[in-house]
Amino acid sequence: MHRSVSPSLQALLTAVEPERAALLAHPVYDALHTKMDLRRFMEVHVFAVWDFMSLLKALQARLTCVAVPWLPTKDPEIRALVNAIVLAEESDLMPDGRHLSHFEMYLEAMEAAGADTVRIRRFLDALAQGLPWRQALAGCGLAPGTRDFVQHSLETAESGRAHLVAAVFTFGREALIPDMFRRLTGDLARRFPEELAGFQHYLQRHIDLDGDDHGPLALRMMEILCGNDADAWREATEAALRSLRLRRGLWDCVLGSASAQAGHGTESIATGHNVRL
């Protein structure tokens, strides 16, 4: 890290490191060999790309003022941290000069790669028509690991407890994504430059933004929100650990989807060896 951190934050970082290391060692990263592998990955991962924005918007609603009449919120530093992240995540600049959210960027990358967007679009349509998110999610036919991941994100976002939302956002996403996405940037983009250019751009934007800017900002947000409250740090640690474990379950779903497609030609997922998507 580029700056010193508080003892409480360091204790949290130490507590989550074994789960973080296990996640980064997951066999899914070494199982992406073909365009079909990547399509299956994206069709699961897109739900995590989407629910990230609900976590971020929960922080924006809780820590900045989005109401009329406007009033200044208590902590200008947190307000600046959250708004800086929102700007990049919701309105990033594309190479062609357009502004898109990272979710929209991901959908375009899926389409360019030939991945199926029917399930995620059906989910969004159900939400747009006013269906409660639990019903919309239940109607997607998702594997339990994917459904549980999204459900935890949305339940945390709805809790209104800013330090818990920040913990899931920070340790399950911002402080994790650069290392996680570096595991995904292999030779696929070099072998399929046209089809995967959008996906490569998405990955690189997150490696750059989260590694250099958003990750450190999110860690600073955690220090401000939890302060000297031992209970808040304990609860944040529990939320962060659960988020990391659920991410492993999400990656298991990617391998599970591949196993169902490959049938007898795929080794057991539980072994973590010789798995091919």
Side-chain angles (χ1 to χ4, degrees):
M1 298 182 67
H2 300 298
R3 64 174 181 83
S4 61
V5 299
S6 67
S8 295
L9 178 56
Q10 186 57 59
L12 197 164
L13 289 167
T14 300
V16 303
E17 182 54 33
E19 284 293 338
R20 185 177 185 278
L23 182 57
L24 293 174
H26 197 284
V28 71
Y29 307 107
D30 296 322
L32 301 178
H33 302 289
T34 68
K35 285 188 288 186
M36 184 59 69
D37 298 341
L38 183 63
R39 289 168 187 156
R40 291 172 183 151
F41 172 87
M42 296 176 88
E43 288 160 13
V44 174
H45 181 235
V46 66
F47 283 89
V49 177
W50 173 81
D51 76 10
F52 170 89
M53 286 304 300
S54 291
L55 290 167
L56 179 55
K57 285 299 181 177
L59 289 172
Q60 187 181 31
R62 180 71 175 77
L63 301 174
T64 77
C65 182
V66 293
V68 177
W70 176 87
L71 291 171
T73 49
K74 178 181 179 181
D75 195 312
E77 184 178 2
I78 284 187
R79 189 167 66 224
L81 298 179
V82 172
N83 284 333
I85 296 173
V86 169
L87 177 61
E89 296 289 346
E90 194 170 30
S91 304
D92 203 4
L93 183 64
M94 295 287 285
D96 62 7
R98 292 178 299 149
H99 287 88
L100 289 179
S101 69
H102 285 179
F103 173 73
E104 292 165 314
M105 187 187 302
Y106 199 89
L107 280 182
E108 288 195 356
M110 288 181 70
E111 290 169 348
D116 188 351
T117 63
V118 169
R119 185 172 289 177
I120 184 65
R121 290 189 184 279
R122 184 184 301 131
F123 175 63
L124 296 179
D125 287 344
L127 294 178
Q129 292 168 16
L131 196 68
W133 68 259
R134 293 179 189 276
Q135 291 178 246
L137 192 63
C140 286
L142 298 177
T146 307
R147 185 189 63 241
D148 292 348
F149 183 90
V150 176
Q151 182 170 312
H152 177 251
S153 296
L154 294 181
E155 287 176 346
T156 303
E158 286 185 339
S159 73
R161 306 185 72 190
H163 68 293
L164 298 184
V165 180
V168 172
F169 179 84
T170 299
F171 298 100
R173 308 299 179 105
E174 296 294 78
L176 172 71
I177 281 174
D179 288 337
M180 189 170 64
F181 281 5
R182 286 188 189 101
R183 293 293 318 273
L184 290 172
T185 53
D187 66 344
L188 284 172
R190 289 188 293 273
R191 288 192 285 122
F192 309 111
E194 292 186 12
E195 300 96 323
L196 303 187
F199 184 62
Q200 186 72 11
H201 178 70
Y202 169 85
L203 294 177
Q204 194 59 51
R205 283 300 288 157
H206 274 273
I207 290 170
D208 294 341
L209 284 171
D210 296 343
D212 296 338
D213 297 317
H214 294 179
L217 291 178
L219 291 173
R220 176 57 184 152
M221 178 171 59
M222 286 300 308
E223 289 183 315
I224 296 172
L225 288 173
C226 292
N228 296 317
D229 188 334
D231 287 338
W233 282 110
R234 176 182 54 77
E235 292 171 349
T237 301
E238 292 170 355
L241 286 169
R242 177 160 173 74
S243 179
L244 290 169
R245 289 168 185 147
L246 287 168
R247 171 75 73 162
R248 274 205 284 165
L250 184 75
W251 283 173
D252 288 344
C253 285
V254 175
L255 294 180
S257 173
S259 179
Q261 292 288 332
H264 299 296
T266 303
E267 297 276 333
S268 169
I269 293 171
T271 67
H273 301 295
N274 302 320
V275 179
R276 250 290 311 227
L277 292 189

